Amino acid sequence: MTAPLFYSPEVTGLTAEQVVSLDAAASGHAIRSQRLATNDQVLISDGLGTLAEGTLEDASPQRTTIRVQKVTVSQRPEIQVNLVQALAKGDRDLLAAEMATEVGVDRVTPWQARRSIVRLRPERATKTLAKWESKLKAAAQQARRAYVPTLGQPLFAEEIASLHSPQDGHYVVVLHEDGNENLFDIAESLHAINTLHLVVGPEGGVSPEELHSVLTAGGSAVKIGSNVMRASTAGPIAVALLNQLFNRW
């Protein structure tokens, strides 16, 4: 069984035999919730690509310390995937973000689409985005990821089209039940790309105005499979397909 993973900014620049500590929240989770004890094996990361293996040296619920045995630094995939997830009711947007994180998405951008029932209220925006960040970090920790996905600034309606910038290596793909392009064909046709922005609409779907804005900018509308998927399902499945197509696994 894979050792549990914890995050700490102290991991950046670490070398073998050094000692790193967890903050009070992570220490309490490790000792009280996971029942870890001295000499147990753990993983610890800075969430930015550095991953260390080590053993618990001081199993204190207030300040756990870890003796590092091995450090590796992984590189981000050559082609990044940004899930532009429409706000959806019943926390289906957060579920999509969590599952996409487990699959390996690099960035998640909340999107208040025209047809989103859930709205991003200005007075609650900071709290809402903090909740999204917390969910991404927890999902990355569960998946033992050395990278925690970045949370992008929220977009509204047709602003999604602004992400399409082929000259800068950015390409937008909208998942749409009436899409007339194939994800496999799109992946094969893309050259000099560094980021693919994957747009997933809310329960009511992407509006004609939003879709038109992306197509006019040069992006694509893609249909994956013959079934209509929920807002929480389409994104993670598409990310998994892109992982295979771009050799990101």
Side-chain angles (χ1 to χ4, degrees), residues 13-164:
L14 271 184
T15 58
E17 296 305 320
Q18 287 187 298
V19 175
V20 61
S21 60
L22 300 179
D23 61 24
S27 296
H29 179 67
I31 307 306
R32 295 194 180 98
S33 300
Q34 297 198 336
R35 302 293 183 182
L36 297 178
T38 302
N39 295 325
D40 280 346
Q41 290 284 325
V42 295
L43 300 173
I44 185 167
S45 172
D46 57 3
L48 301 172
T50 302
L51 183 66
E53 301 175 24
T55 58
L56 290 190
E57 194 166 76
D58 181 8
S60 166
Q62 284 75 42
R63 186 176 179 274
T64 296
T65 58
I66 299 165
R67 174 71 64 177
V68 173
Q69 298 166 330
K70 179 182 178 182
V71 179
T72 58
V73 179
S74 60
Q75 300 299 315
R76 289 186 181 273
E78 183 177 344
I79 298 178
Q80 303 278 290
V81 176
N82 173 30
L83 173 62
V84 182
Q85 177 64 49
L87 303 181
K89 64 181 182 180
D91 280 347
R92 292 193 180 279
D93 44 12
L94 287 173
L95 178 58
E98 288 179 291
M99 290 194 294
T101 297
E102 292 178 23
V103 175
V105 78
D106 304 290
R107 187 180 185 89
V108 175
T109 302
W111 174 41
Q112 184 175 296
R114 283 175 175 259
R115 295 176 176 174
S116 289
I117 296 174
V118 176
R119 316 304 285 179
L120 188 61
R121 301 175 183 175
E123 68 274 13
R124 294 180 55 84
T126 299
K127 184 176 181 180
T128 298
L129 295 179
K131 182 178 180 180
W132 279 66
E133 284 189 323
S134 177
K135 291 290 185 180
L136 295 182
K137 185 176 180 180
Q141 184 175 8
Q142 173 66 35
R144 314 296 198 269
R145 289 190 57 175
Y147 282 102
V148 177
T150 304
L151 181 66
Q153 287 298 309
L155 297 173
F156 299 86
E158 287 88 330
E159 286 181 354
I160 54 174
S162 67
L163 296 173
H164 191 78

Side-chain angles (χ1 to χ4, degrees), residues 107-240:
R107 187 180 185 89
V108 175
T109 302
W111 174 41
Q112 184 175 296
R114 283 175 175 259
R115 295 176 176 174
S116 289
I117 296 174
V118 176
R119 316 304 285 179
L120 188 61
R121 301 175 183 175
E123 68 274 13
R124 294 180 55 84
T126 299
K127 184 176 181 180
T128 298
L129 295 179
K131 182 178 180 180
W132 279 66
E133 284 189 323
S134 177
K135 291 290 185 180
L136 295 182
K137 185 176 180 180
Q141 184 175 8
Q142 173 66 35
R144 314 296 198 269
R145 289 190 57 175
Y147 282 102
V148 177
T150 304
L151 181 66
Q153 287 298 309
L155 297 173
F156 299 86
E158 287 88 330
E159 286 181 354
I160 54 174
S162 67
L163 296 173
H164 191 78
S165 178
Q167 67 273 19
D168 299 318
H170 291 257
Y171 196 92
V172 174
V173 169
V174 178
L175 298 188
H176 198 280
E177 60 184 292
D178 295 326
N180 56 8
E181 296 192 71
N182 184 287
L183 192 60
F184 293 82
D185 294 336
I186 292 293
E188 289 184 354
S189 68
L190 294 178
H191 302 288
I193 179 178
N194 57 53
T195 305
L196 191 147
H197 303 277
L198 191 66
V199 179
V200 179
E203 299 90 338
V206 178
S207 74
E209 296 87 353
E210 292 162 339
L211 183 60
H212 178 72
S213 70
V214 171
L215 297 181
T216 300
S220 302
V222 167
K223 180 179 181 179
I224 53 173
S226 57
N227 301 330
V228 177
M229 302 177 193
R230 286 185 167 182
S232 58
T233 310
I237 288 178
V239 173

